[in-house]
Amino acid sequence: MRAGRLRHLVTIQQPTEVQDTTGQAVKSWGTYVQAWASVEPLSGREFLDAQQINAETKVRIRIRSVSGITEKMRVSWDSRVYNINAILDIQERDREIHLMCSEGANDG
């Protein structure tokens, strides 16, 4: 992987549960790792859901291999939040992974 492509600093976040002032469990997001990445838009669409027009954008985020990333995590970059839909280990060599993500109705 050429380092020149990795020009965006992204934050991979993991969900944690914390208690609010009333003692209720609330989902919070904490930083798992920051990594230099290439963010590549793939497609976009608009759809009607519950009488509302929603938009969804799909992107591929390329980073050097980081162990422990799961689909329950999310990626934050440039004030945007992306859900991780799939994690692809390119050539199964643990050098480069592609995070197939979507921006739209985010979990959290």
Side-chain angles (χ1 to χ4, degrees), residues 65-81:
S65 186
V66 176
S67 63
I69 297 176
T70 68
E71 286 88 358
K72 293 180 181 178
M73 296 178 177
R74 70 182 190 181
V75 179
S76 175
W77 171 69
D78 192 33
S79 74
R80 298 179 187 166
V81 177

Side-chain angles (χ1 to χ4, degrees), residues 73-92:
M73 296 178 177
R74 70 182 190 181
V75 179
S76 175
W77 171 69
D78 192 33
S79 74
R80 298 179 187 166
V81 177
Y82 298 100
N83 294 318
I84 299 174
N85 300 325
I87 302 164
L88 308 175
D89 184 1
I90 303 305
Q91 299 177 350
E92 300 294 326

Side-chain angles (χ1 to χ4, degrees), residues 8-12 33-37 39 61 63 75-77 99:
H8 306 111
L9 184 60
V10 300
T11 302
I12 299 173
V33 69
Q34 283 191 320
W36 289 100
V39 180
I61 299 175
I63 63 172
V75 179
S76 175
W77 171 69
L99 305 175

